[in-house]
Coordinates of all heavy atoms in Angstrom, one line a residue:
M563 N -98.2 93.7 155.9 CA -99.4 93.2 155.3 C -99.0 92.4 154.0 O -98.2 92.8 153.3 CB -100.3 94.3 155.0 CG -101.6 93.9 154.3 SD -102.8 95.3 154.0 CE -101.8 96.7 153.7
I564 N -99.7 91.3 153.8 CA -99.5 90.5 152.7 C -100.6 90.7 151.6 O -101.8 90.7 152.0 CB -99.5 89.0 153.1 CG1 -98.4 88.8 154.2 CG2 -99.2 88.1 151.9 CD1 -98.6 87.5 155.0
H565 N -100.2 90.9 150.4 CA -101.2 90.9 149.3 C -101.1 89.6 148.5 O -100.2 89.5 147.7 CB -101.0 92.1 148.4 CG -101.2 93.4 149.0 ND1 -102.5 94.0 149.2 CD2 -100.3 94.3 149.6 CE1 -102.3 95.1 149.8 NE2 -101.1 95.4 150.1
P566 N -102.0 88.7 148.7 CA -101.9 87.4 148.1 C -102.0 87.4 146.6 O -101.4 86.6 145.9 CB -103.0 86.6 148.7 CG -103.9 87.5 149.3 CD -103.2 88.8 149.6
E567 N -102.6 88.4 146.0 CA -102.8 88.4 144.5 C -101.8 89.4 143.9 O -102.0 89.9 142.8 CB -104.2 88.7 144.1 CG -105.2 87.6 144.3 CD -105.8 87.6 145.7 OE1 -106.0 88.7 146.2 OE2 -106.2 86.5 146.1
G568 N -100.8 89.8 144.6 CA -99.9 90.8 144.1 C -99.9 92.1 145.0 O -100.2 92.0 146.1
D569 N -99.6 93.2 144.4 CA -99.5 94.5 145.1 C -100.8 95.2 145.3 O -100.9 96.2 146.0 CB -98.5 95.4 144.5 CG -97.1 94.8 144.6 OD1 -96.8 94.1 145.6 OD2 -96.2 95.1 143.8
E570 N -101.8 94.8 144.5 CA -103.1 95.5 144.6 C -104.0 95.0 145.7 O -104.1 93.8 145.9 CB -103.9 95.3 143.3 CG -103.2 96.0 142.1 CD -103.1 97.5 142.2 OE1 -104.1 98.1 142.6 OE2 -102.0 98.0 141.9
P571 N -104.6 95.9 146.5 CA -105.6 95.5 147.5 C -106.8 94.8 146.9 O -107.1 95.1 145.7 CB -106.0 96.9 148.2 CG -105.0 97.8 147.8 CD -104.4 97.4 146.5
T572 N -107.4 93.9 147.6 CA -108.5 93.2 147.2 C -109.8 93.6 147.9 O -109.6 94.1 149.0 CB -108.3 91.7 147.3 OG1 -108.2 91.4 148.7 CG2 -107.0 91.2 146.6
P573 N -110.9 93.3 147.4 CA -112.2 93.5 148.2 C -112.2 92.8 149.5 O -112.6 93.3 150.5 CB -113.3 93.0 147.3 CG -112.7 93.1 145.9 CD -111.2 92.8 146.1
Q574 N -111.6 91.6 149.6 CA -111.6 90.8 150.8 C -110.7 91.6 151.8 O -111.0 91.7 153.0 CB -111.1 89.4 150.5 CG -111.4 88.5 151.7 CD -111.1 87.0 151.2 OE1 -110.3 86.8 150.4 NE2 -111.8 86.1 151.9
L575 N -109.6 92.1 151.4 CA -108.7 92.8 152.3 C -109.4 94.1 152.8 O -109.3 94.4 154.0 CB -107.4 93.2 151.5 CG -106.4 94.1 152.3 CD1 -105.9 93.5 153.5 CD2 -105.3 94.5 151.4
D576 N -110.1 94.8 151.9 CA -110.8 96.0 152.4 C -111.9 95.6 153.4 O -112.1 96.3 154.4 CB -111.5 96.6 151.2 CG -110.5 97.3 150.2 OD1 -109.4 97.6 150.7 OD2 -110.8 97.5 149.1
R577 N -112.6 94.5 153.2 CA -113.6 94.0 154.2 C -112.9 93.8 155.6 O -113.5 94.2 156.6 CB -114.3 92.8 153.7 CG -115.2 93.0 152.6 CD -115.9 91.6 152.2 NE -116.6 91.0 153.3 CZ -116.4 89.7 153.6 NH1 -115.7 88.9 152.9 NH2 -117.0 89.2 154.6
I578 N -111.8 93.1 155.6 CA -111.1 92.8 156.8 C -110.7 94.2 157.5 O -111.0 94.3 158.7 CB -109.8 92.0 156.6 CG1 -110.2 90.6 156.1 CG2 -109.0 91.9 157.9 CD1 -109.0 89.8 155.6
L579 N -110.1 95.1 156.8 CA -109.7 96.3 157.4 C -110.9 97.2 157.9 O -110.8 97.7 159.0 CB -108.9 97.1 156.4 CG -107.5 96.6 156.0 CD1 -106.9 97.4 154.8 CD2 -106.6 96.7 157.2
D580 N -111.9 97.2 157.1 CA -113.1 98.0 157.6 C -113.7 97.4 158.8 O -114.0 98.1 159.8 CB -114.1 98.1 156.5 CG -113.7 98.9 155.3 OD1 -112.8 99.7 155.4 OD2 -114.3 98.8 154.2
F581 N -113.9 96.1 158.8 CA -114.5 95.4 160.0 C -113.6 95.6 161.2 O -114.1 95.9 162.3 CB -114.7 93.9 159.7 CG -115.3 93.2 160.8 CD1 -116.7 93.3 161.0 CD2 -114.6 92.4 161.7 CE1 -117.3 92.6 162.0 CE2 -115.2 91.8 162.7 CZ -116.6 91.8 162.9
A582 N -112.3 95.4 161.1 CA -111.4 95.5 162.2 C -111.3 96.9 162.7 O -111.3 97.1 164.0 CB -110.0 95.0 161.8
R583 N -111.3 97.9 161.9 CA -111.2 99.3 162.3 C -112.5 99.6 163.2 O -112.3 100.2 164.2 CB -111.2 100.2 161.1 CG -110.8 101.6 161.3 CD -110.7 102.4 160.1 NE -109.7 101.9 159.1 CZ -110.0 101.4 157.9 NH1 -111.3 101.2 157.5 NH2 -109.1 100.9 157.1
E584 N -113.6 99.2 162.7 CA -114.9 99.4 163.4 C -114.8 98.7 164.8 O -115.2 99.3 165.8 CB -116.1 99.0 162.6 CG -117.4 99.3 163.2 CD -117.9 98.2 164.1 OE1 -117.6 97.0 163.9 OE2 -118.6 98.5 165.1
R585 N -114.4 97.4 164.8 CA -114.4 96.7 166.1 C -113.3 97.2 167.0 O -113.6 97.3 168.2 CB -114.1 95.2 165.8 CG -115.3 94.5 165.1 CD -116.4 94.4 166.1 NE -117.6 94.0 165.4 CZ -118.3 92.9 165.7 NH1 -117.9 92.1 166.7 NH2 -119.4 92.6 165.1
F586 N -112.2 97.6 166.6 CA -111.1 98.1 167.4 C -111.6 99.4 168.1 O -111.4 99.6 169.2 CB -109.8 98.4 166.7 CG -109.1 97.1 166.3 CD1 -108.3 97.1 165.1 CD2 -109.1 96.0 167.0 CE1 -107.6 96.0 164.7 CE2 -108.4 94.8 166.6 CZ -107.7 94.8 165.5
F587 N -112.3 100.3 167.3 CA -112.8 101.5 167.8 C -113.9 101.3 168.8 O -113.9 101.9 169.8 CB -113.3 102.4 166.6 CG -113.8 103.7 167.0 CD1 -113.0 104.7 167.4 CD2 -115.2 103.9 167.0 CE1 -113.5 106.0 167.8 CE2 -115.7 105.2 167.4 CZ -114.9 106.2 167.8
R588 N -114.8 100.4 168.5 CA -115.9 100.2 169.4 C -115.6 99.4 170.7 O -116.1 99.8 171.8 CB -117.0 99.4 168.6 CG -118.3 99.2 169.5 CD -119.3 98.5 168.7 NE -119.8 99.5 167.7 CZ -120.9 99.4 167.0 NH1 -121.7 98.3 167.1 NH2 -121.2 100.3 166.1
Y589 N -114.8 98.4 170.6 CA -114.5 97.5 171.7 C -113.1 97.5 172.3 O -112.9 97.0 173.3 CB -114.9 96.0 171.3 CG -116.3 95.9 170.9 CD1 -116.6 95.6 169.5 CD2 -117.3 96.0 171.8 CE1 -117.9 95.5 169.1 CE2 -118.7 95.8 171.4 CZ -118.9 95.6 170.0 OH -120.2 95.4 169.6
G590 N -112.2 98.1 171.6 CA -110.8 98.1 172.0 C -110.0 97.0 171.5 O -110.6 95.9 171.2
Y591 N -108.8 97.2 171.3 CA -107.9 96.2 170.6 C -107.9 94.9 171.4 O -108.0 93.8 170.8 CB -106.5 96.8 170.6 CG -105.4 95.8 170.1 CD1 -105.3 95.6 168.7 CD2 -104.6 95.2 171.0 CE1 -104.4 94.7 168.3 CE2 -103.6 94.3 170.5 CZ -103.5 94.0 169.1 OH -102.6 93.2 168.7
S592 N -107.8 94.9 172.7 CA -107.6 93.7 173.4 C -108.9 92.8 173.4 O -108.8 91.6 173.7 CB -107.2 93.9 174.9 OG -108.1 94.7 175.5
S593 N -110.0 93.4 173.2 CA -111.3 92.7 173.2 C -111.6 92.0 171.8 O -112.6 91.2 171.8 CB -112.5 93.6 173.6 OG -112.3 94.1 174.9
V594 N -110.9 92.4 170.8 CA -111.2 91.8 169.5 C -110.3 90.7 169.2 O -109.1 90.7 169.5 CB -111.0 92.9 168.4 CG1 -111.2 92.4 167.0 CG2 -111.9 94.1 168.7
T595 N -110.8 89.6 168.7 CA -110.0 88.4 168.4 C -110.0 88.1 166.9 O -110.9 88.4 166.2 CB -110.5 87.1 169.2 OG1 -111.8 86.8 168.7 CG2 -110.6 87.4 170.7
I596 N -109.0 87.4 166.5 CA -108.9 86.9 165.1 C -110.0 85.9 164.9 O -110.6 85.9 163.8 CB -107.5 86.2 164.8 CG1 -106.4 87.2 165.0 CG2 -107.5 85.7 163.4 CD1 -106.5 88.5 164.2
D597 N -110.3 85.1 165.8 CA -111.5 84.1 165.7 C -112.8 84.9 165.4 O -113.5 84.5 164.5 CB -111.7 83.3 167.0 CG -110.6 82.3 167.1 OD1 -110.1 81.8 166.1 OD2 -110.3 81.9 168.3
E598 N -113.0 86.0 166.1 CA -114.2 86.8 165.9 C -114.2 87.4 164.5 O -115.3 87.4 163.9 CB -114.3 87.9 167.0 CG -115.3 88.9 166.8 CD -115.2 90.1 167.7 OE1 -114.3 90.2 168.5 OE2 -116.1 91.0 167.6
I599 N -113.1 88.0 164.1 CA -113.0 88.6 162.8 C -113.3 87.6 161.7 O -114.1 87.8 160.8 CB -111.7 89.3 162.6 CG1 -111.5 90.5 163.6 CG2 -111.5 89.7 161.2 CD1 -110.1 91.0 163.7
A600 N -112.7 86.5 161.8 CA -112.8 85.4 160.8 C -114.3 84.9 160.8 O -114.9 84.8 159.7 CB -111.9 84.3 161.0
A601 N -114.9 84.7 161.9 CA -116.2 84.2 162.0 C -117.2 85.2 161.4 O -118.1 84.9 160.6 CB -116.6 83.8 163.4
E602 N -117.1 86.4 161.8 CA -118.0 87.5 161.4 C -117.9 87.7 159.9 O -118.9 88.1 159.2 CB -117.8 88.8 162.1 CG -118.2 88.8 163.6 CD -119.7 88.7 163.8 OE1 -120.5 89.3 162.9 OE2 -120.2 88.1 164.7
L603 N -116.7 87.6 159.3 CA -116.5 87.8 157.9 C -116.7 86.5 157.1 O -116.5 86.5 155.9 CB -115.2 88.4 157.6 CG -115.0 89.8 158.2 CD1 -113.6 90.3 158.0 CD2 -116.0 90.8 157.6
R604 N -117.0 85.4 157.8 CA -117.3 84.1 157.2 C -116.1 83.7 156.3 O -116.2 83.3 155.2 CB -118.5 84.1 156.3 CG -119.8 84.3 157.2 CD -121.0 84.1 156.4 NE -122.1 83.9 157.3 CZ -123.1 84.7 157.4 NH1 -123.2 85.8 156.7 NH2 -124.1 84.4 158.2
M605 N -114.9 83.7 157.0 CA -113.7 83.2 156.4 C -112.9 82.4 157.4 O -113.2 82.5 158.6 CB -112.8 84.4 155.9 CG -112.2 85.2 157.0 SD -111.1 86.5 156.5 CE -112.0 87.4 155.4
S606 N -112.1 81.5 157.0 CA -111.3 80.7 157.9 C -110.1 81.6 158.4 O -109.8 82.6 157.8 CB -110.7 79.5 157.2 OG -109.7 80.0 156.2
K607 N -109.6 81.2 159.5 CA -108.4 81.9 160.1 C -107.2 81.8 159.1 O -106.5 82.7 159.0 CB -108.0 81.3 161.4 CG -109.0 81.8 162.5 CD -108.7 81.1 163.9 CE -107.3 81.3 164.4 NZ -107.1 80.7 165.7
A608 N -107.2 80.7 158.4 CA -106.1 80.5 157.4 C -106.2 81.6 156.3 O -105.2 82.2 155.9 CB -106.1 79.2 156.7
T609 N -107.4 81.9 155.9 CA -107.6 83.0 154.9 C -107.2 84.4 155.5 O -106.5 85.1 154.9 CB -109.1 83.1 154.5 OG1 -109.5 81.9 153.9 CG2 -109.3 84.2 153.5
F610 N -107.6 84.6 156.8 CA -107.1 85.8 157.4 C -105.6 86.0 157.4 O -105.1 87.0 157.1 CB -107.6 85.9 158.9 CG -107.1 87.0 159.7 CD1 -107.6 88.3 159.6 CD2 -105.9 86.9 160.4 CE1 -107.1 89.4 160.3 CE2 -105.3 87.9 161.1 CZ -105.9 89.2 161.0
Y611 N -104.9 84.9 157.8 CA -103.5 84.9 157.8 C -102.8 84.9 156.5 O -101.6 85.2 156.4 CB -103.0 83.7 158.7 CG -103.2 83.9 160.1 CD1 -104.1 83.1 160.9 CD2 -102.6 84.9 160.8 CE1 -104.3 83.3 162.2 CE2 -102.8 85.2 162.2 CZ -103.6 84.3 162.9 OH -103.8 84.6 164.2
R612 N -103.6 84.8 155.4 CA -103.0 85.0 154.1 C -102.8 86.5 153.9 O -101.9 87.0 153.1 CB -104.0 84.6 153.0 CG -104.0 83.1 152.8 CD -104.9 82.6 151.7 NE -104.9 83.4 150.5 CZ -106.0 83.8 149.8 NH1 -107.2 83.4 150.2 NH2 -105.9 84.5 148.8
F613 N -103.5 87.4 154.6 CA -103.4 88.8 154.5 C -102.6 89.5 155.6 O -101.9 90.5 155.3 CB -104.8 89.4 154.5 CG -105.7 89.1 153.3 CD1 -106.6 88.0 153.3 CD2 -105.6 89.9 152.2 CE1 -107.3 87.7 152.2 CE2 -106.3 89.6 151.1 CZ -107.2 88.5 151.1
F614 N -102.6 88.9 156.8 CA -101.9 89.5 157.9 C -101.2 88.5 158.7 O -101.8 87.4 159.0 CB -102.9 90.3 158.8 CG -103.6 91.4 158.1 CD1 -104.9 91.2 157.6 CD2 -103.0 92.6 158.0 CE1 -105.6 92.2 157.0 CE2 -103.7 93.6 157.3 CZ -104.9 93.4 156.8
K615 N -100.0 88.8 159.2 CA -99.2 87.8 160.0 C -99.7 87.8 161.4 O -99.5 86.8 162.1 CB -97.8 88.3 160.0 CG -97.1 88.2 158.6 CD -95.7 88.7 158.7 CE -95.1 88.7 157.3 NZ -93.7 89.3 157.3
S616 N -100.4 88.9 161.9 CA -100.8 88.9 163.3 C -101.9 90.0 163.5 O -102.1 90.8 162.6 CB -99.6 89.3 164.2 OG -99.1 90.6 163.9
K617 N -102.5 90.0 164.7 CA -103.4 91.0 165.0 C -102.8 92.3 165.1 O -103.4 93.4 164.7 CB -104.1 90.6 166.3 CG -105.3 91.5 166.7 CD -106.0 91.0 167.9 CE -105.8 91.7 169.1 NZ -106.6 91.4 170.2
E618 N -101.5 92.4 165.6 CA -100.8 93.6 165.6 C -100.6 94.2 164.2 O -100.8 95.4 164.1 CB -99.4 93.4 166.3 CG -99.5 93.1 167.8 CD -99.8 91.6 168.0 OE1 -99.7 90.7 167.1 OE2 -100.2 91.2 169.1
E619 N -100.3 93.4 163.3 CA -100.1 93.9 161.9 C -101.4 94.4 161.4 O -101.5 95.4 160.7 CB -99.5 92.8 161.0 CG -99.2 93.3 159.6 CD -98.6 92.2 158.8 OE1 -99.4 91.2 158.4 OE2 -97.4 92.3 158.4
L620 N -102.5 93.7 161.7 CA -103.8 94.2 161.3 C -104.1 95.6 161.8 O -104.6 96.5 161.1 CB -104.9 93.2 161.7 CG -106.3 93.6 161.5 CD1 -106.7 93.9 160.0 CD2 -107.3 92.6 162.1
L621 N -103.9 95.8 163.1 CA -104.1 97.1 163.8 C -103.3 98.2 163.1 O -103.8 99.2 162.7 CB -103.7 97.0 165.2 CG -103.8 98.3 166.0 CD1 -105.3 98.9 166.0 CD2 -103.3 98.2 167.4
E622 N -102.0 97.9 162.8 CA -101.2 98.9 162.1 C -101.7 99.2 160.8 O -101.8 100.4 160.4 CB -99.7 98.3 162.0 CG -99.0 98.2 163.3 CD -97.6 97.5 163.1 OE1 -97.2 97.3 161.9 OE2 -97.0 97.2 164.1
S623 N -102.2 98.2 160.0 CA -102.7 98.5 158.7 C -104.0 99.2 158.8 O -104.3 100.1 157.9 CB -102.9 97.2 157.9 OG -101.7 96.6 157.7
A624 N -104.9 98.9 159.7 CA -106.2 99.5 159.9 C -106.0 101.0 160.2 O -106.7 101.9 159.7 CB -107.0 98.8 161.0
V625 N -105.0 101.3 161.1 CA -104.8 102.7 161.5 C -104.2 103.5 160.3 O -104.6 104.6 160.1 CB -103.8 102.7 162.7 CG1 -103.3 104.2 162.9 CG2 -104.5 102.2 163.9
R626 N -103.3 102.9 159.5 CA -102.7 103.6 158.4 C -103.6 103.8 157.2 O -103.5 104.8 156.5 CB -101.5 102.8 157.9 CG -100.2 103.1 158.6 CD -99.1 102.5 158.0 NE -99.0 101.1 158.6 CZ -98.4 100.1 158.1 NH1 -97.8 100.2 157.0 NH2 -98.4 99.0 158.8
S627 N -104.6 103.0 157.0 CA -105.4 103.1 155.8 C -106.6 104.0 156.1 O -106.9 104.4 157.2 CB -105.9 101.8 155.4 OG -106.8 101.2 156.4

């Protein structure tokens, strides 16, 4: 996981993790897309990729947090 503003988590990072955790639990990992996450959170995919290198990395972070 990448912290663009340093080592401290940001509210935007927390939003991504909370949303992804809920979607993964409800619909399953394979049914959730980065496009969906970015659109629902009203951010670009580039912004998403500032925080996570991949969907796999997002899943790992969502499970750990």
Side-chain angles (χ1 to χ4, degrees):
M563 177 174 36
I564 303 164
H565 292 280
E567 286 93 25
D569 291 332
E570 293 298 317
T572 65
Q574 197 169 27
L575 175 62
D576 291 339
R577 285 180 56 229
I578 295 168
L579 288 170
D580 290 343
F581 182 81
R583 194 177 302 111
E584 185 272 327
R585 289 294 169 119
F586 290 149
F587 180 73
R588 182 175 293 195
Y589 301 110
Y591 175 78
S592 61
S593 296
V594 178
T595 66
I596 300 302
D597 288 329
E598 171 191 0
I599 292 168
E602 289 289 328
L603 294 176
R604 294 191 163 111
M605 68 175 56
S606 68
K607 283 175 55 174
T609 300
F610 172 86
Y611 285 114
R612 284 179 43 223
F613 292 94
F614 299 97
K615 294 177 187 175
S616 65
K617 187 170 107 172
E618 292 82 13
E619 185 178 70
L620 172 60
L621 176 64
E622 290 172 13
S623 296
V625 169
R626 272 186 274 160
S627 63

